[in-house]
Amino acid sequence: MWDVFLSYSRSDAVPAQALAAELRRFGLRVFQDDADVHRFDSVSRTIMTELGRSRLLLAYYSAAYPTRRACQQELTRAFLAGQHEGDPLRRVLVVNPAQGTGHIEPIELRDARYWSPASALCHLLDALTRKLAEVPTAMDEVALSPAPVWLPAPPRRPPPRLLGRTTQLWQLHSALHPQTAALTEGGGEPVAVVHGFGGIGTTALVCEYVRQFGATVPGGVFWLTAGQVPSWDEQLRAIARALGGTGRGDPADEIAVALDRHRSPCLWVVDGVPAGLPLEQVRGLLSPHPGAASVLTTTDAGHAALGTGVLVPELPVPQAVRLVLDRIGELGPGDHEAVRALVEEVGGHPAALLELADSARVCGVNTVVRRLHDREWPVLETVAKRLLADADAVGETGLDVLRAVAAYAPDPMPLGVLGSLGDWPSGRLDGALRRLTGQSALRLRGGAALEVPAVVAHVIRHNDPDPSRHEEVRVTALRARQAREGASADPTERAAAFRVQVELAHRVPVRPLGGGGLREAISSLHRVFSFTREQLRECGPDSALRFGEVAERLMEDVLRPFLSQWHPALRRFEDDGSPVGGDAWDPTAELRAALLALREPLLEIIGDLSRISGNPHGVRPVS
């Protein structure tokens, strides 16, 4: 059994190792994965096993700590062990090397006293000694609390595996327990508003929270659905009857009386609160008893004015790729790269990714990638129908707004550009913006620009019910962009930018290499380098600096490092087949992978050139 499990980010390995050495010097048994995971052992399995054999977790909570999924998993395990024993801080201590506590989640840890490396080590040793005296057993010996009662039954189930949401789980927990840090954080109502674009996973997040943190609500989980069958009144009456109500009075009053009688912490969840409702009407959906914490799930971030907002964003790329691969199951050659192409197109929207994955299980990932832009084969039919129904409810002005902003994507569209696109019907533009931002289909960035999630841009581009109107709005938006962004570039510079843009758009690796030769690919990039240098020379010293900056970045930051490494390596192999390293070198595998890695920076360069030229040619990734 270990006294202390030291949890830390890899970027903090040096100070963490020094701290572990000091603790061992004072006789403590410290588990540290670098030192105590034996070669050939499964790292994940070993770490979680040894955490279970530990009495305390010491979290080296730097600014990097909350960004590491493994660290958060370790912290959650120790936090829940203490929670089941009645005190979530019973088995956790924090070392905070950063300035301030804003990066620390959950709120209980932020409010607790922590040790700073700038302080004397004896203070940390005293705290560890006191904690160890209180917890003689390992975490694996903690008896788990029973699952809370769920009304109306049956309980909602979280997805089998929730990826990339650890930070949001902690934020939700902190939002529901503001009273635990009333002196340091100011307290507040225990109301959390979990919001995000439709299909992003707000409901799944709350279900997972209940699964993991159910011990905090022994009084039960009351789950209601807003605006659906059964009616609100029927759901309230079902809960009131289950709590012993007579059914003769107002069901909300009967629930309040029952909760006051039990005086046990509970959770009141209202799922799917519609966007655009007046705040007073939304307030009426909260728990009828102030002692019960309330959670609302919605697309409308404005409802967060009633409590603390918890934004559920799109999944990060690694988790988005993992979600699709897990759903597909058996993988074929090149599937991993094809899945990344899907994620690039629709972003980290879970519902869209799962729909694409289900199609891929039937016909293969590469087929889905090829047909992703085919209007006759709508692989995102379910997500598209939902999005277009929401947009249609806003009206034709709302669809035009989405068409215009999608034409700018992935860059945000300045509000001034949108306003200049034509004579919007009086008052309708403001109303459409309010409705679309309420649905989270449109986001206001920095108070001055609009952007849409990647999946919204894809659906509007490829599933628009009125393609001719879509093209009309798209062309108008791009012309306005050209007028705004191209005005500062003289005609010579714009022409040079467009010429390089076209060259790049039709070169390896922006377009798939397919069966082409590797020497051809290297030569192609050499020609781009020479061509860009020639265009820069023709612009002359009097041209604006925008094209020069992008051209310099293309040549010196992207092409030169690649060519200086791979051109001589491939030449040596072609001359005599000699390996580059100590073993046989496979140029096909390594060089193709290196070419694939160039795709993202080159696509970014194409986007920058398009903003100078005013022409969108080649901006979209080519499947």
Side-chain angles (χ1 to χ4, degrees):
M1 183 167 62
W2 304 96
D3 295 320
V4 176
F5 181 100
L6 184 57
S7 175
Y8 60 94
S9 166
R10 283 288 168 268
S11 59
D12 300 313
V14 173
Q17 289 167 356
L19 177 60
E22 287 292 327
L23 297 179
R24 291 190 184 105
R25 194 163 63 86
F26 282 89
L28 294 177
R29 293 164 295 179
V30 180
F31 178 86
Q32 179 191 359
D33 59 358
D34 278 353
D36 299 303
V37 175
H38 297 296
R39 188 176 298 227
F40 306 124
D41 284 350
S42 166
V43 175
S44 297
R45 183 172 63 248
T46 300
I47 288 175
M48 297 312 290
T49 298
E50 299 308 322
L51 177 57
R53 296 181 60 237
S54 303
R55 295 160 68 186
L56 297 177
L57 178 136
L58 181 61
Y60 195 89
Y61 218 121
S62 67
Y65 189 87
T67 68
R68 303 297 299 168
R69 183 168 177 265
C71 295
Q72 294 299 305
Q73 288 178 324
E74 294 161 4
L75 176 62
T76 301
R77 172 81 178 275
F79 186 89
L80 292 175
Q83 179 178 276
H84 284 291
E85 295 176 305
D87 179 6
L89 300 184
R90 178 177 169 85
R91 292 183 179 267
V92 180
L93 281 89
V94 170
V95 174
N96 181 15
Q99 295 292 324
T101 59
H103 63 296
I104 298 178
E105 295 282 0
I107 196 169
E108 290 94 337
L109 291 181
R110 197 183 316 149
D111 187 56
R113 294 188 66 181
Y114 56 83
W115 182 76
S116 168
S119 304
L121 183 63
C122 63
H123 300 311
L124 175 61
L125 292 169
D126 288 344
L128 287 170
T129 301
R130 288 195 302 271
K131 283 278 189 182
L132 289 169
E134 297 170 2
V135 285
T137 60
M139 294 185 202
D140 273 349
E141 299 178 50
V142 176
L144 300 181
S145 303
V149 175
W150 191 298
L151 296 172
R156 294 286 188 97
R157 301 294 183 189
R161 185 181 180 195
L162 193 70
L163 293 168
R165 300 300 193 208
T166 306
T167 298
Q168 286 72 42
L169 285 170
W170 283 127
Q171 290 174 349
L172 175 56
H173 182 80
S174 294
L176 294 175
H177 296 82
Q179 69 280 0
T180 62
L183 293 179
T184 58
E185 299 291 325
E189 286 192 77
V191 176
V193 179
V194 182
H195 60 93
F197 181 52
I200 203 69
T202 54
T203 301
L205 180 79
V206 179
C207 288
E208 178 66 14
Y209 176 79
V210 174
R211 186 186 72 80
Q212 290 196 30
F213 294 86
T216 62
V217 286
V221 176
F222 307 103
W223 190 288
L224 301 96
T225 303
Q228 293 187 8
V229 177
S231 71
W232 181 256
D233 187 67
E234 289 174 312
Q235 294 178 79
L236 289 179
R237 290 191 182 280
I239 293 174
R241 286 194 300 270
L243 293 176
T246 63
R248 293 189 293 270
D250 181 274
D253 290 342
E254 291 193 334
I255 292 171
V257 169
L259 295 182
D260 191 68
R261 182 171 60 250
H262 293 304
R263 294 280 179 166
S264 186
C266 54
L267 187 64
W268 183 270
V269 181
V270 183
D271 190 28
V273 178
L277 294 181
L279 281 181
E280 281 309 307
Q281 185 177 345
V282 179
R283 185 179 290 278
L285 302 177
L286 300 178
S287 165
H289 190 279
S294 296
V295 179
L296 308 179
T297 71
T298 180
T299 62
D300 196 339
H303 295 343
L306 296 175
T308 302
V310 178
L311 171 65
V312 181
E314 294 175 290
L315 287 172
V317 172
Q319 282 74 39
V321 170
R322 185 76 262 154
L323 178 69
V324 179
L325 293 176
D326 286 350
R327 186 68 162 238
I328 293 173
E330 186 175 348
L331 303 179
D335 277 357
H336 195 279
E337 291 75 14
V339 166
R340 289 190 70 89
L342 292 179
V343 172
E344 287 176 5
E345 183 63 28
V346 303
H349 187 272
L353 293 171
L354 291 175
E355 188 173 347
L356 292 174
D358 288 340
S359 296
R361 291 174 67 180
V362 176
C363 60
V365 186
N366 286 290
T367 301
V368 174
V369 172
R370 287 196 302 271
R371 295 182 175 179
L372 193 57
H373 303 291
D374 187 350
R375 291 181 62 87
E376 304 303 318
W377 200 75
V379 290
L380 278 177
E381 189 171 10
T382 303
V383 170
K385 282 182 177 179
R386 175 178 181 173
L387 169 63
L388 292 173
D390 289 343
D392 190 58
V394 179
E396 189 62 29
T397 300
L399 265 174
D400 278 349
V401 169
L402 291 179
R403 289 163 178 150
V405 180
Y408 256 64
D411 299 316
M413 168 181 265
L415 281 169
V417 174
L418 181 65
S420 69
L421 293 186
D423 296 328
W424 297 97
S426 178
R428 291 190 184 177
L429 178 58
D430 289 342
L433 291 177
R434 282 195 300 271
R435 290 285 299 276
L436 291 170
T437 52
Q439 295 171 356
S440 295
L442 196 66
R443 297 187 289 239
L444 186 62
R445 181 172 170 179
L450 297 166
E451 63 181 4
V452 292
V455 68
V456 175
H458 175 86
V459 167
I460 292 298
R461 288 167 179 163
H462 303 289
N463 300 79
D464 196 319
D466 188 346
S468 60
R469 177 59 179 170
H470 173 88
E471 185 63 17
E472 179 184 345
V473 173
R474 187 186 74 85
V475 170
T476 303
L478 291 177
R479 285 175 178 167
R481 178 176 190 159
Q482 177 179 338
R484 178 186 179 92
E485 299 183 349
S488 61
D490 63 30
T492 302
E493 185 182 25
R494 289 177 54 197
F498 182 66
R499 286 193 289 267
V500 175
Q501 180 182 339
V502 171
E503 284 294 310
L504 274 182
H506 297 276
R507 297 286 185 176
V508 176
V510 176
R511 289 187 178 274
L513 180 59
L518 297 174
R519 167 52 56 193
E520 178 187 348
I522 293 287
S523 300
S524 174
L525 293 176
H526 264 296
R527 288 193 292 271
V528 170
F529 188 97
S530 300
F531 184 80
T532 303
R533 184 172 53 196
E534 184 62 29
Q535 296 305 308
L536 187 60
R537 184 183 298 117
E538 288 186 9
C539 278
D542 296 329
S543 66
L545 296 176
R546 295 172 64 204
F547 173 65
E549 185 273 328
V550 176
E552 191 74 15
R553 181 152 47 91
L554 170 62
M555 292 188 295
E556 300 303 325
D557 295 346
V558 180
L559 295 179
R560 188 184 295 279
F562 178 89
L563 293 172
S564 63
Q565 175 184 356
W566 289 106
H567 176 68
L570 185 59
R571 175 64 66 193
R572 286 196 299 270
F573 183 84
E574 291 171 334
D575 289 343
D576 56 14
S578 62
V580 175
D583 301 317
W585 177 54
D586 181 358
T588 302
E590 287 196 38
L591 183 48
R592 284 178 184 267
L595 285 166
L596 183 63
L598 273 185
R599 187 169 188 263
E600 282 301 317
L602 290 182
L603 286 172
E604 183 179 340
I605 293 288
I606 290 175
D608 292 339
L609 291 170
S610 75
R611 284 185 280 278
I612 299 172
S613 69
N615 190 299
H617 182 82
V619 169
R620 296 181 191 175
V622 179
S623 299

